[in-house]
Amino acid sequence: MNKLIYHFGCQNNEGNATMKDKLGGKGANLAEMSNLGLPIPPGFTIATDICSHYYDNGNKLTEDFEKQLFQAVKKLEKETEKFFGSTKNPLLVSVRSGAKISMPGMMDTILNLGMNDDVTESLAQITDNHRFAYDSYRRFIEMYGSVVLGISSYIFEDTYDNHKINHGINSDADITTDILKLVIHDYKKIIYKTTNKEFENNPTEKLKNAVEAVLKSWMSPRAMHYRKINNINEQDIVGTAVNIQSMVFGNKGNNSATGVVFTRSPTNGEKKIFGEFLINAQGEDVVAGVRTPQLLLAKEPSDGTSMQEVMPKAFDELSLVCTKLESHYGDMQDIEFTIEEEKLYILQTRNGKRAAAAAVKIAVDMVEEGILTKEQALLRIDPESLNQLLHTAIDYSSKLEIIAYGLPASPGAATGIVVFSPYDAEELSHHHKVILVRNDTSPEDIKGMHVAKGIITARGGMTSHAAVVARGMGRPCVCGVKGLTVNEKDKYFTTNSGQKINQGDIITLDGSTGKIIVGPVNLIEPQFSKEFATILKWADSIKKLKVRANAET
């Protein structure tokens, strides 16, 4: 087999943006950003060839794969001056998928790999931050248990939430080191009960298992369904690459954070950065939507919680990165970042998923800004997505019973019966329009999200899994609903005022305003933007094919 592993980072880079077939979108962009001199934590990409080989050879890796993998780890150790599995100066890594075509949230990620009991205690002593070390270990066990061992993430999340309830804690930031040790103990019990094996303590074995788990996620039902509903031709992409990257930590305290930023609004296309962040957190907290984040830009009037106000230096650096990457790629970018003890790191960039209205506005604006030609702008717009512009809106002239407010994560309005699981959504969608209501969504919910007319989550923000997937599908979505308590087991939710809505009750959501309304509502016809009219004129002036139609009665 040809060269299998490609390093990236400012000191040692072997790829670029043209190598998406080989490195996947994520790996190619990490290499490209390294070439641009951006602050990228170093690592390496295992080429997509390994995925093809794995499935062509009965789920087996190449004979020399393990040797090449750990040679690459040695090289990364030399670059970072840290050592994998060591208690002296431990190297921890993330393991992420990355196909040629972006599939947000559909495949697997593991953070903090390299941790075990001894490394955790050593990290606590080295950093003099015991809470950070044990929080990182807790997160690793949950991800490894879910992704590699196949244990439902909800089992771990329920255990964690129960400890918070039992100790009278509302915020993750208030969890103490002693409570984290209890959570870790219970996580290990879950793993033993499920697998009849003690939790693996060997980082080398864990790394091999994690790589294989990421490869397996390529053919997971959720990933296959995503490719099907998005008309992604299996012949156009050979599989996923695997990206192994040295960890940086957003959960080291109140001077650390993690977040997601779009260089323009993915909802309406407005030319200003759009995104969210969480202080003292890791990236999956924002993407998975398990916590509701704060905004990057300051609100008017100010409430003092935005990144622009709390971390102004890092915000200014991030703004410059956004400008540089959008200019370089000539498209709106979706960027993940981490701030470790006030230092900004960029973890990935990709062309951002956007609603149809945003796609139209961004395309027209970029022509006016001299970034794109008219022909390029037209090709940036998915013709099928333009159906979203025909969505009706809610008529607020009549009196409506608004029961809750959340974040307007994906535009449009939808009315339907409430369901609380993706399975019920699939079953009932044959005879009803359904609204899927969850605490937060995960990649396993993709089929239910696809058949739902709208999506509501109690947690998460406008860059969460639910929001990103809903925008890509053209589904209205409201996230981070204030005071919403969702009981997925008993199939009801209660609002801040105490109103109870059961499965089967009819509600309406407005993804443009974040409002949730009881019952059906009157709808009004959509209004088309001036940018849409411009796009139609351009298409008419460039077209070569003439269409004539005949109608008969």
Side-chain angles (χ1 to χ4, degrees), residues 13 25 40 77 96 101 105 114 130 133 145 163 174 209 217 281 320 386 424 429 470 480 484 538 552:
N13 190 52
I40 310 299
E77 288 177 336
R96 302 174 190 259
I101 297 173
H130 287 67
H163 276 283
D174 296 329
N209 293 341
S217 73
L320 291 174
L386 294 178
D424 287 343
S429 67
L484 195 72
W538 290 350
E552 296 178 356

Side-chain angles (χ1 to χ4, degrees), residues 39 254-259 261 273 277-279 296-297 306-322 335 337-346:
N254 289 333
N255 62 353
S256 301
T258 187
V261 58
I273 64 171
F277 83 119
L278 279 168
I279 291 174
L296 297 181
L297 286 171
S306 72
M307 182 178 169
Q308 191 173 13
E309 296 160 295
V310 177
M311 296 180 164
K313 181 174 178 289
F315 176 84
D316 289 343
E317 290 176 17
L318 181 63
S319 298
L320 291 174
V321 168
C322 288
I335 302 163
F337 66 90
T338 286
I339 300 162
E340 179 181 293
E341 295 179 327
E342 301 184 3
K343 181 171 174 52
L344 175 69
Y345 294 92
I346 305 301

Side-chain angles (χ1 to χ4, degrees), residues 362-375 377 538:
I362 290 169
V364 172
D365 286 353
M366 285 190 165
V367 171
E368 292 176 352
E369 294 163 23
I371 298 172
L372 301 177
T373 65
K374 292 178 182 179
E375 290 81 2
W538 290 350

